[in-house]
Amino acid sequence: MSNAIQSVMHETRVFQPPKALVDTATISGLDAYRTLCKAIDDDFDGFWSKQATEQLEWLKPFTRVLDESDAPFYKWFDDGQLNVSANCLDKHVAAGKGEKTALIFESDDAKVTHVSYAELLTRVCRFANGIKALGYKKGDRAIIYMPMSVEAVVAMQACARLGITHSVVFGGFSAKSLQERIVDVGATLVITADEQVRGGKTIPLKPAVEDAFKMGGCDAVKKTIVYRRTGGKVNWDEARDVWMHDVEANQADTCEPVAVDAEHPLFILYTSGSTGKPKGVQHASAGYLLWALLTVKWTFDAKDSDVYWCTADVGWITGHTYITYGPLAAGLTQVVFEGVPTYPNASRFWEMIDRHKVTTFYTAPTAIRSLVKAADTNPDTHPKHFDLSSLRILGTVGEPINPEAWMWYYKEVGRERCPIVDTWWQTETGGHMITPLPGATPMKPGSCTLPLPGIAAAIVDEAGGDVEQGNGGFLVVKRPWPGMIRNIWGDPERFKSSYFPPELKGYYLAGDGAQRDSDGYFWIMGRIDDVLNVSGHRLGTMEVESALVSHELVAEAAVVGRPDDTTGEAVVAFVVLKGARPEGDEALAIAKTLRDWVGREIGPIAKPKDIRFGDNLPKTRSGKIMRRLLRVVAKGEEVTQDISTLENPAILEQLAKPI
Ligand code: PRX
C-alpha cells in the first residue's frame, strides 16, 4: 500500500481548471475559494446562519445555529422546523419551474420517461397521501428496497414529506441483510418492487422481502407496498401486501408537507464498520439538506441549464445526496438510470451522455476502469465514437482513482475540456468533504485536492497532533459541519467510540489514512481499519468472515483485501474447514459453495474473488490471526516481514497457492 501511495504522491502533473469555467463558476478561482474559507473561519455561526436562511425554506425559523453542549451529539439549527420534500419540490413549482424536467428516467432497455417538477410533486403527494391513509405518520420508519426508478425517488420523497424516516437497502443485498436492517431499524413499513431489471436480466425483490420476513423478527411490519416493475410472479398476502399504484389511486394531488424539527432523522443508512454488524448511520433533516444543496452548487457548479447525471444507486449514500436530495433541492434536471454501464454494451454511458446532452457526469472509478478495458478489447465502445461535447464537469466518487484511469477520463471522455472533481467523502459525512472545485482548483490526478469551505480536514497522529507535511496519518475533521452523521441508530456508545475517540481531542475520525503534499493537497491512502472498498462499495472483513463461519463446513476464516485492477480491492478469504483440507476439484466445488453462501448471506458484492484452504491460519502464540501476513500472501508476494512471533510459519506456503 505505502509504495503505491508514494508513487501517486510523486505525481507531478497539474491540470488547471478551464478558463470558460473559471469565468462563470460560483466559486471562481483559488482566491475566491480562500476568501470563502476565511469568511467561515472568521464568523462560523454567521456564515452557517446565512446559508441556512438563504438556501432553505423554513416552516419555523431557527434561532440557534450550532449546539455543541452535548458533543459529539451536535445539533444544527435545532429549534427550527422545515420539510425536506417541500424544499426539493414545492419550492420550484412555486417559483414557476413546475414545467422543468426533474427526472429523465432511462430504463434498462432504453425507454425514456421525462418527469417534470410539477408531475413529481403530484406523484409524491399522491403516494404520501396513500401511505398516510394506511396509518403511517411522522416518526415511523420505512425500509425501501427498490430498483433505480422514478418510484424509488417518489418513495423517499414521500417519506420525507410525512416525516417518516427511511432506510434504503441496496437492491443487491440479500434477504438476510434486508432482514437484519428491518429488525435493527424497527421498520413498520416496507416499500419494494416485484423485480428489478439490470443488464437484460430480472432479479426478484419482493421474494427476498418474503424470505426476510420468514427469518423472523419482522412482525412490526404491517404493510408491504409493491411497485409493479415487471409483472413477475410474486406471492401475495392480502392482509399485508398492497400495490404501489393502488396506494396512489384515488388520492388527492396535494399533500400538506409535515413540519419536522431540524434534527429529525431524515434517514438511516447502513454501512460497514470494522467490527460487528453494519451500523445505521443517522442523518438529520435541515443540516443534511443544506450540505447536500451547497455541495451540489459548489462541487458541480450547478447551473439551471445543466443536465446532471449521477450513476450511483439510491441504495448508497451517493444516491441519497446526489440523486434524491441535492440535485432536486437545487432544481436541476437529472438523468436516473435503471441499468448497468455494460449493457447492451460498454458504450452505454457515452450513448446516454450523447442522447440526453448531459453536462455533469458523476461516476465511480471502478466503472471508468472497466470501460477503459472494454474500449481496449472492443474499440467500437470507445467514447470517441460519441458526441460528448455537452459535458462540462466530470466527477468521481467512492474510492481512489488511479492516475491512469484519471487521465483516460480526462482525455477520452472530457476531451481535456472538463475538470474532474475527485470527491472524497463518506456515508457518515452526508456530502462532499475534500474535492476540487471545477472553476477554482488546479487538479492533480489521484488527489482529491483541498477541503471544501467550512471543512476543517487535517491529518493527525495517534494523539491527535498534526503530522508534519508529507507524513501519513489519520484523516480527521476538527470542526462539525451541518451534513455530518448525528448518531448510530440505537447505539450512541458505538457512535462516540467509532467516530470521536477520546484520544483524538474530539475530532471526527474518518477511518481513512491520508497524506498532504507541499501544496496542501490531500492524498487518500485507504482505510486504516478492517474495511474493504470493492468497486466503491464498503464491506467489513468481519462481516464476510462471520458469513463464512456460519456455514456448516467452515471452522475458521480470515478475510483480507487485495489490490485489483478493476474493482480497486478484491475480497480474498482464507478458510479452514472442519474436515480435511480439500484439494483439486473438491476444493473448487467447496469454494463455489462458499462463494454462493456469502452471496446469500450478504449479497453478491461480498463474494470472495479468491478462496484458499489451509490446515490452519497464521497465528501468533497467543492465537491472534496475523492479517498483515495474509495481506502479503493474498497479493502473491514473498513474505519478507518479521515472522518470529508466528507460531506456525509453514502455513504461509500452503496458503500462498491459489486453488
Ligand atoms: O475510504 C474512503 C473511500 O470510501 C470510503 C467511504 O465509503 P462510503 O461510506 O461507502 O461512501 C462512498 C461514497 C462517498 C471512504 O472512507 N472513498 C470515498 N471517496 C473517495 C474514497 N477514497 C479515495 N478517494 C475518494 N474520492
Side-chain angles (χ1 to χ4, degrees):
M1 169 69 79
S2 60
N3 287 344
I5 298 310
Q6 285 308 331
S7 66
V8 286
M9 275 272 288
H10 287 147
E11 171 68 59
T12 50
R13 285 169 290 191
V14 179
F15 297 85
Q16 296 300 326
K19 182 164 182 321
L21 253 158
V22 179
D23 289 347
T24 55
T26 311
I27 303 179
S28 164
L30 266 187
D31 285 346
Y33 159 76
R34 292 206 182 97
T35 307
L36 190 55
C37 293
K38 185 162 182 314
I40 303 177
D41 275 351
D42 290 349
D43 182 12
F44 192 77
D45 276 19
F47 176 82
W48 289 119
S49 172
K50 183 166 181 290
Q51 293 299 332
T53 309
E54 286 177 3
Q55 305 281 347
L56 302 181
E57 289 188 353
W58 295 85
L59 294 168
K60 174 177 170 252
F62 62 92
T63 63
R64 289 191 295 266
V65 177
L66 172 63
D67 177 358
E68 302 187 81
S69 58
D70 191 22
F73 299 95
Y74 296 102
K75 298 188 192 75
W76 286 85
F77 322 114
D78 75 313
D79 60 344
Q81 290 195 325
L82 82 178
N83 181 276
V84 168
S85 135
N87 271 277
C88 294
L89 303 171
D90 309 45
K91 182 174 85 180
H92 307 304
V93 175
K97 280 172 54 179
E99 296 310 307
K100 182 175 178 176
T101 298
L103 307 178
I104 303 172
F105 175 71
E106 181 161 323
S107 67
D108 192 59
D109 60 353
K111 291 200 182 68
V112 176
T113 319
H114 284 244
V115 183
S116 70
Y117 271 91
E119 286 164 344
L120 186 58
L121 174 60
T122 304
R123 277 214 65 187
V124 168
C125 286
R126 293 174 70 94
F127 189 51
N129 284 329
I131 304 178
K132 212 164 35 173
L134 292 172
Y136 291 100
K137 56 179 188 319
K138 177 159 89 177
D140 290 338
R141 281 158 324 270
I143 287 275
I144 297 179
Y145 185 60
M146 294 179 87
M148 282 302 290
S149 50
V150 171
E151 285 67 19
V153 176
V154 167
M156 292 166 82
Q157 286 282 348
C159 286
R161 196 162 190 89
L162 299 178
I164 295 172
T165 301
H166 62 65
S167 184
V168 183
V169 177
F170 173 56
F173 275 125
S174 66
K176 176 92 185 304
S177 298
L178 177 64
Q179 183 257 3
E180 286 167 0
R181 287 155 174 76
I182 294 172
V183 173
D184 191 79
V185 88
T188 52
L189 171 64
V190 172
I191 309 173
T192 188
D194 49 1
E195 297 179 313
Q196 58 178 328
V197 187
R198 283 165 68 81
K201 297 194 194 80
T202 53
I203 307 153
L205 286 177
K206 168 83 164 55
V209 175
E210 288 158 20
D211 288 346
F213 289 165
K214 281 189 211 130
M215 290 172 192
C218 303
D219 293 346
V221 177
K222 295 294 171 248
K223 291 284 170 197
T224 303
I225 301 177
V226 188
Y227 157 50
R228 182 144 64 199
R229 168 61 186 89
T230 62
K233 190 181 152 358
V234 288
N235 295 321
W236 206 253
D237 176 334
E238 287 299 336
R240 189 194 59 210
D241 300 339
V242 48
W243 290 110
M244 186 170 183
H245 54 260
D246 288 337
V247 173
E248 289 173 64
N250 306 320
Q251 294 296 340
D253 287 348
T254 57
C255 169
E256 194 62 29
V258 172
V260 299
D261 291 342
E263 285 294 309
H264 179 74
L266 176 64
F267 65 86
I268 295 158
L269 184 60
Y270 285 82
T271 192
S272 297
S274 48
T275 53
K277 296 262 175 236
K279 30 194 187 185
V281 172
Q282 181 183 323
H283 277 287
S285 294
Y288 168 81
L289 185 66
L290 176 62
W291 194 235
L293 174 54
L294 267 187
T295 50
V296 165
K297 289 187 173 178
W298 288 347
T299 311
F300 297 124
D301 188 45
K303 298 277 189 269
D304 202 35
S305 52
D306 276 334
V307 177
Y308 162 99
W309 182 17
C310 164
T311 67
D313 190 286
V314 289
W316 309 110
I317 189 68
T318 309
H320 282 59
T321 309
Y322 297 109
I323 295 176
T324 302
Y325 292 113
L328 291 181
L332 294 183
T333 294
Q334 69 173 317
V335 175
V336 171
F337 178 42
E338 180 177 42
V340 297
T342 47
Y343 179 82
N345 59 54
S347 59
R348 183 68 183 264
F349 276 2
W350 323 133
E351 260 173 49
M352 284 181 62
I353 291 172
D354 190 348
R355 177 154 53 239
H356 302 300
K357 301 294 164 229
V358 170
T359 59
T360 313
F361 181 64
Y362 190 36
T363 195
T366 291
I368 298 166
R369 286 191 294 265
S370 73
L371 298 178
V372 173
K373 271 197 188 162
D376 282 348
T377 36
N378 178 3
D380 288 349
T381 66
H382 194 283
K384 71 180 172 205
H385 303 300
F386 300 87
D387 177 5
L388 306 183
S389 58
S390 56
L391 285 171
R392 260 180 5 102
I393 294 169
L394 301 173
T396 66
V397 55
E399 43 174 336
I401 180 160
N402 48 311
E404 301 72 37
W406 194 100
M407 285 308 305
W408 190 87
Y409 197 29
Y410 186 70
K411 282 194 172 153
E412 310 298 341
V413 182
R415 318 261 155 98
E416 301 183 46
R417 293 183 301 105
C418 304
I420 298 179
V421 290
D422 172 355
T423 59
W424 177 85
W425 61 295
Q426 309 176 291
T427 306
E428 293 87 341
T429 68
H432 301 153
M433 298 294 278
I434 310 180
T435 173
L437 292 169
T441 318
M443 294 154 284
K444 300 183 190 182
S447 168
C448 53
T449 76
L450 300 169
L452 284 174
I455 299 304
I459 301 172
V460 300
D461 57 27
E462 291 85 359
D466 288 316
V467 301
E468 268 179 46
Q469 189 193 319
N471 287 353
F474 303 126
L475 179 55
V476 296
V477 187
K478 292 186 171 180
R479 247 183 146 170
W481 67 102
M484 71 194 297
I485 175 175
R486 295 304 199 268
N487 207 343
I488 292 179
W489 183 254
D491 202 346
E493 283 310 314
R494 193 172 172 200
F495 168 72
K496 281 198 278 189
S497 60
S498 313
Y499 300 115
F500 301 91
E503 60 277 18
L504 290 188
K505 302 183 178 170
Y507 301 155
Y508 168 79
L509 175 66
D512 278 331
Q515 272 177 296
R516 262 178 123 158
D517 67 17
S518 52
D519 292 321
Y521 276 34
F522 284 77
W523 298 81
I524 305 296
M525 296 157 69
R527 301 288 303 190
I528 53 170
D529 51 13
D530 291 321
V531 170
L532 305 182
N533 193 325
V534 181
S535 304
H537 301 146
R538 217 163 124 173
L539 267 182
T541 52
M542 284 269 295
E543 279 172 75
V544 187
E545 286 169 10
S546 326
L548 283 167
V549 295
S550 70
H551 192 278
E552 56 181 10
L553 291 176
V554 177
E556 226 183 341
V559 166
V560 298
R562 173 177 72 201
D564 185 279
D565 279 354
T566 308
T567 58
E569 263 187 307
V571 177
V572 182
F574 296 91
V575 175
V576 181
L577 296 185
K578 286 176 183 158
R581 178 168 59 89
E583 288 185 277
D585 285 349
E586 194 198 357
L588 288 172
I590 297 179
K592 178 172 183 319
T593 305
L594 295 181
R595 223 174 263 132
D596 292 346
W597 174 261
V598 172
R600 275 200 303 278
E601 287 288 293
I602 303 175
I605 53 169
K607 285 185 179 181
K609 183 161 183 186
D610 187 351
I611 296 188
R612 311 223 180 144
F613 296 102
D615 294 321
N616 208 332
L617 296 173
K619 289 185 186 156
T620 60
R621 290 190 178 88
S622 59
K624 211 169 161 305
I625 297 173
M626 296 182 77
R627 283 162 199 286
R628 64 181 170 89
L629 298 182
L630 287 177
R631 278 192 277 270
V632 177
V633 170
K635 276 196 272 188
E637 290 173 2
E638 195 83 20
V639 175
T640 53
Q641 288 106 321
D642 176 17
I643 53 167
S644 55
T645 52
L646 182 61
E647 195 188 43
N648 48 351
I651 204 71
L652 292 179
E653 205 177 316
Q654 196 177 70
L655 294 171
K657 288 188 219 98
I659 52 171

